[in-house]
Amino acid sequence: MPTGRSSRRRRPPRPLGVPVLAPVPGGWWFDGLLLAALVALTAALVWWRPMLRLDIVVRDWCDQHRPPPVDTMMYLFDRVGQGGALTTLTVLVSFWLAWRHRSVRPIIPAGLAPIISTLLIVGLKRWTSRGAPHHGSVEMFADGWEEYYPSGHVSNGIVYFGVLAMLLAPYLPVLARRLLMWVPGVLVFIGTTYLGYHWLTDSVGGYLLGLLIIRALLRVPWRTLPLPRWLDHAR
């Protein structure tokens, strides 16, 4: 009679993508609100001067209230959104899951995340041409070399950790999945704004864009997406 330990060793991997995160609503109304908010924020930064003054006030306050211990902690918060490290981590996790489940499915969202993020973020940054809090112009379309709106770090903190939470959903309890999904983006938002790496509204724009991207990725039925048999040998 097999022991409990040996039977646990022979247990097949949990079904890929089950359970997923909290289901994204079937309608697109919230996505529409996010897009409208991003457009409104961008327009306000162009035509509504009080928004620019708010950015300057927040930057100046942070510059005057930055003791060394807090500065170090905020630096660590900002590093959470480092794109290169997050891309590597996400891809490695997806390849491990692909090997474990004998399916290319986990690699697809992990590969699409950096492509979509880069295209949207870099496109918006180059189009808006906005400076950083300590160099360049606070105004949009300044025709300088600076490209800081929206914050890529903040968007990364939502998109990549959201993809990781989705991929690891079968192996994590609900609370851990939700913390992985939501906490990193908030930490990056606080850190990058407090350190003056981005204007407050850069971080808001990055957060809105990150939510749009991850919600779009979560809508795709990755577990049931039709694939050629040679790419999907999952049990």
Side-chain angles (χ1 to χ4, degrees):
M1 181 176 180
T3 64
R5 179 179 298 179
S6 62
S7 63
R8 283 196 296 270
R9 281 201 299 264
R10 290 198 298 267
R11 184 189 305 166
R14 294 183 183 183
L16 181 64
V18 178
V20 295
L21 297 169
V24 176
W28 292 80
W29 64 270
F30 189 69
D31 303 83
L33 287 178
L34 290 173
L35 180 59
L38 181 60
V39 171
L41 174 65
T42 307
L45 289 170
V46 177
W47 290 297
W48 197 45
R49 304 296 299 184
M51 189 69 75
L52 301 181
R53 289 197 289 271
L54 173 63
D55 275 332
I56 294 173
V57 167
V58 171
R59 178 203 61 184
D60 292 346
W61 185 92
C62 292
D63 286 348
Q64 297 164 12
H65 300 81
R66 195 176 293 142
V70 178
D71 184 85
T72 300
M73 181 175 65
M74 293 301 162
Y75 176 80
L76 295 176
F77 283 2
D78 175 73
R79 294 297 92 186
V80 172
Q82 194 67 27
L86 287 177
T87 301
T88 302
L89 175 62
T90 306
V91 170
L92 287 176
V93 170
S94 71
F95 271 87
W96 173 73
L97 289 171
W99 170 79
R100 182 172 174 80
H101 292 275
R102 298 192 302 160
S103 173
V104 76
R105 293 181 188 277
I107 299 175
I108 301 175
L112 282 177
I115 295 174
I116 296 173
S117 293
T118 300
L119 288 175
L120 291 178
I121 293 172
V122 172
L124 281 172
K125 283 177 178 288
R126 291 185 176 177
W127 177 56
T128 54
S129 185
R130 190 189 197 192
H134 295 105
H135 56 82
S137 174
V138 68
E139 297 186 0
M140 306 281 271
F141 308 112
D143 294 326
W145 60 267
E146 300 88 353
E147 299 170 351
Y148 281 84
Y149 176 86
S151 169
H153 269 55
V154 175
S155 181
N156 291 341
I158 298 173
V159 174
Y160 289 99
F161 283 100
V163 171
L164 284 172
M166 176 179 67
L167 293 176
L168 296 174
Y171 307 96
L172 298 175
V174 174
L175 178 60
R177 296 200 308 269
R178 289 177 178 171
L179 290 175
L180 184 62
M181 178 78 182
W182 298 112
V183 171
V186 174
L187 295 182
V188 179
F189 185 110
I190 296 171
T192 197
T193 305
Y194 184 84
L195 293 174
Y197 294 161
H198 278 284
W199 302 103
L200 172 65
T201 50
D202 292 345
S203 298
V204 174
Y207 201 92
L208 293 172
L209 183 60
L211 285 178
L212 279 168
I213 295 172
I214 191 58
R215 284 174 64 86
L217 289 172
L218 287 175
R219 285 183 180 277
V220 180
W222 302 108
R223 184 169 175 264
T224 58
L225 197 68
L227 290 175
R229 183 62 183 172
W230 61 279
L231 293 176
D232 182 27
H233 295 282
R235 295 182 229 189

